[in-house]
Amino acid sequence: MSGSRRRSHLLRAVGVSLMLFTSSSDLLKSAESPAPLVFTEHLIWNDFSYGFGLQAFDVDGDGLTDLTAADTAGFVQTEPLEGEPVVAEPPGQGNNLPAVSRGPGIRHSHIYWFRNEGGGQFSKHFITKNDLQRRLERHTLADLNKDGWADLVIVDNHLGDILWYENPGAAALRRGDLWRKHFVAKGNMLGAVDVTIADFDGDGWADVAAAGWRMGNCFRWFKNPGSKTVEEWQGWTIDGGFPLASCVVAGDIDGDGRPDLFTTSGTSRALIWYSPPTDPITQPWGRNVVDLTPGPREPAFAKLFDINKDGRIDIILAWGGFGRRNGAVVWYENAGLAEGRIQWKKRMVGELESVTDVAVGDFNGDGNPDIAAIGYMPGELSWFQNSGNPAARWLKHVVRDKWPNVNQVVVVDLDGDGRDDLAGIADYGSMDLRWWHNERQRN
């Protein structure tokens, strides 16, 4: 694929990602019904140390969408006493406790890319291999250095780093070369849990924004230095003081042609979006409250998408949290401006226990955006069918249940048949990466 075609592909993908959220006491429960279409399950990989974080992108520019996944050492291990026999204590289902080391060495972290070989088959390759005992999790891809190839940006929840790995290009990928590691942030983004990419200062280079979960409790953005060689990028705090800052996702929420930032905070139950100023280095970002609803549910991860097709970006939110009961998927309708502020109507999609992540696709091919969602515990992947009126009742269809600790879902056409498929990854209790082929008949 030529450089211009690769750049065109990347720009289209970034455009899609940027399109990538009434409060009412009468929340409609979704109806359960048999799925009108079939998803066929396929296992890709099931030997993770701790699998958390998944993305879909054409890594090698061959026109087929690949998958990337983090395989992290997760936690510092308990070592046996000198001279004592090793007793393995594998983590139980969902307890997130480390095992006692089985040998003298320590576990290392890896990032894989699973090359799409066509026909629903994948081969595993390394982006990085035997890195430090990091806690690599959620990540995203974009061309950071303008060479026409998608690079990978990932959080290190353990060491407080944000790293980016430079895509070496087609020839090196064929040889199996590892990707060169760079730092966006080095130790100064404690609890980094989510990351997004957009050009926040308008200089033509893709910048990075991140959420600092526990300890970090903030949202920060980092300026891409462009062609300069630096040890790490310069960063500024957008806002702070948010316990369990969870989600950051970029998109043009106010329709002014510039990327905004939607965020969530678990403990405070805050949903806030930020608009960048003319100079985001010296000027404060505009803070805009979407919701501060109290209650047992915590806002987790979200997507931005125009669900009702009125030309305004809405919010689709996993409203539950890791391990919490009584979760739900909701969407916030962007109802336009009043007194210079966007007004939001909170609408129910459906219930899903411990819901943590959502994705958008048109699974039944009717032209209406549907929503896929995952529940972390006891573990479920479902999709909610849009009737054509997203303010009305949605139908819930279970694709996979009893899948413990599923932590991320993506919607992507993995076999090139024009239908939206599903892929998901799970950590303790499952440790696997799977995809589901959408068997809907062609129209």
Side-chain angles (χ1 to χ4, degrees), residues 73-194:
F75 298 88
V76 176
Q77 302 167 101
T78 304
E79 295 296 331
L81 296 173
E82 187 71 29
E84 293 293 317
V86 175
V87 179
E89 296 178 1
Q93 181 172 306
N95 65 13
N96 281 1
L97 295 176
V100 171
S101 174
R102 292 178 178 271
I106 65 171
R107 290 179 298 173
H108 292 87
S109 298
H110 316 290
I111 305 174
Y112 308 125
W113 71 281
F114 293 88
R115 186 177 189 273
N116 191 334
E117 303 290 350
Q121 301 300 310
F122 295 85
S123 59
K124 182 172 69 70
H125 306 268
F126 286 94
I127 290 175
T128 188
K129 183 178 183 181
N130 293 332
D131 205 337
L132 298 177
Q133 188 166 251
R134 300 180 177 277
R135 189 174 168 86
L136 301 171
E137 296 187 338
R138 290 174 71 92
H139 56 273
T140 189
L141 292 96
D143 183 5
L144 296 184
N145 55 2
K146 294 189 178 183
D147 66 353
W149 294 94
D151 310 302
L152 184 141
V153 182
I154 192 165
V155 301
D156 180 347
N157 188 256
H158 177 55
L159 298 179
D161 296 343
I162 300 174
L163 306 135
W164 74 275
Y165 291 86
E166 183 179 350
N167 189 327
L173 290 172
R174 286 193 296 269
R175 292 193 303 266
D177 291 2
L178 298 180
W179 299 23
R180 185 180 177 188
K181 179 173 67 179
H182 308 270
F183 287 92
V184 173
K186 193 172 185 180
N188 58 12
M189 192 65 205
L190 287 176
V193 70
D194 198 19

Side-chain angles (χ1 to χ4, degrees), residues 325-341:
R325 318 289 289 188
N326 302 319
V329 177
V330 299
W331 72 283
Y332 287 81
E333 179 186 352
N334 183 336
L337 293 174
E339 297 182 344
R341 293 175 173 151

Side-chain angles (χ1 to χ4, degrees), residues 246-329:
S246 301
C247 168
V248 286
V249 57
D252 185 6
I253 295 173
D254 55 7
D256 66 354
R258 299 186 62 194
D260 306 302
L261 197 66
F262 173 77
T263 69
T264 70
S265 166
T267 303
S268 67
R269 273 61 172 179
L271 308 183
I272 297 176
W273 70 274
Y274 297 91
S275 53
T278 303
D279 183 359
I281 294 176
T282 61
Q283 298 171 325
W285 291 53
R287 180 197 289 167
N288 307 274
V289 173
V290 176
D291 197 0
L292 298 174
T293 301
R297 293 168 171 161
E298 291 185 355
F301 297 106
K303 294 292 186 297
L304 301 181
F305 198 89
D306 182 7
I307 284 290
N308 57 358
K309 298 186 284 190
D310 66 354
R312 296 189 288 256
I313 295 297
D314 307 304
I315 302 165
I316 302 91
L317 176 68
W319 191 34
F322 291 92
R324 292 187 171 270
R325 318 289 289 188
N326 302 319
V329 177

